[in-house]
Amino acid sequence: TVVNSKADVLKASQALAVNLNAAKGLQEVMKTNLGPRGTLKMLVGGAGQIKITKDGVVLLSEMQIQHPTASMIARAATAQDEMTGDGTTTSVMFIGELMKLAEGCLAEGLHPRLIAEGFDLAREEMVKFLDEFKVAVPNALNDRERLVCVARTALRTKIAPIMADPMAEVVVDAVRCIKKPDQVLDLNMVEVLHMKNKLTSD
């Protein structure tokens, strides 16, 4: 036989249900750390090492995800972080909500292929909307306050505001120092130093 003897053999409807439940399960794990009021998660490694974080990409990279569908969602969310540096938890939440909507459509007898085509059409319409809705910001590097607001928005979802606010200004000033006109920003020019202090705010 070609099928692995230890593999689960499911019919089409059962396989769809298992995949949907995997996506919703991953969403349940991630949803409590969304936004500034999200809760911190404690991750304990096999050797006893402890990490406390609510950063989505850290959680996804540290969790041992076995289910193929959940693993694919985690990779897609991680790719979002690699491209923009933020939005990992939001991606998982968004995919989970789409799967919940798809589950309702499947219950009404709609074919999965039609649902996938509907998602593609929605994506195209969303890209058109974003192209029309976006606002160009000329000489963004000169607008320090706007850059600080963007950095603060991203950092407050990961660390406490008492640390995020001063750190946002430090990050923006560091980037403005190394940015050269008409050249792509080289983030390798920024060096991160780990320093042990009494308090995280020091």
Side-chain angles (χ1 to χ4, degrees), residues 8-189:
D8 293 333
V9 180
L10 302 173
K11 292 182 179 180
S13 58
Q14 292 174 316
L16 287 171
V18 168
N19 290 333
L20 290 170
N21 287 333
K24 291 189 293 183
L26 190 61
Q27 182 193 34
E28 287 296 318
V29 173
M30 300 289 290
K31 74 178 184 180
T32 54
N33 67 328
L34 182 67
R37 296 186 181 274
T39 56
L40 294 167
K41 303 288 189 300
M42 179 184 287
L43 304 174
V44 182
Q49 65 272 30
I50 295 175
K51 284 186 180 179
I52 299 177
T53 181
K54 63 176 180 174
D55 189 4
V57 69
V58 175
L59 290 170
L60 291 175
S61 60
E62 294 291 335
M63 287 192 303
Q64 296 180 352
I65 301 173
Q66 300 293 335
H67 195 279
T69 301
S71 178
M72 183 171 62
I73 294 172
R75 287 199 301 269
T78 305
Q80 162 77 15
D81 184 83
E82 291 174 357
M83 290 296 294
T84 63
D86 198 18
T88 312
T89 305
T90 306
S91 297
V92 175
M93 298 295 296
F94 189 66
I95 293 170
E97 290 301 318
L98 288 177
M99 293 301 101
K100 287 181 181 178
L101 293 173
E103 190 174 24
C105 295
L106 288 170
E108 295 174 1
L110 199 63
H111 196 277
R113 180 178 56 81
L114 293 177
I115 298 175
E117 290 178 358
F119 285 158
D120 287 336
L121 290 173
R123 177 180 54 80
E124 293 173 4
E125 291 298 319
M126 179 56 66
V127 170
K128 290 180 184 177
F129 169 76
L130 290 176
D131 285 335
E132 297 171 358
F133 186 73
K134 66 183 180 182
V135 178
V137 181
N139 299 321
L141 274 178
N142 295 331
D143 191 350
R144 182 179 182 276
E145 186 57 35
R146 187 189 296 268
L147 292 175
V148 170
C149 288
V150 173
R152 191 184 297 129
T153 300
L155 286 172
R156 279 189 173 187
T157 62
K158 296 172 175 58
I159 54 180
I162 192 173
M163 292 185 289
D165 292 351
M167 193 177 290
E169 298 189 14
V170 171
V171 169
V172 169
D173 290 338
V175 170
R176 293 180 73 202
C177 284
I178 64 169
K179 180 69 173 80
K180 298 179 181 179
D182 303 324
Q183 290 187 18
V184 179
L185 181 63
D186 184 11
L187 291 179
N188 292 321
M189 295 291 291

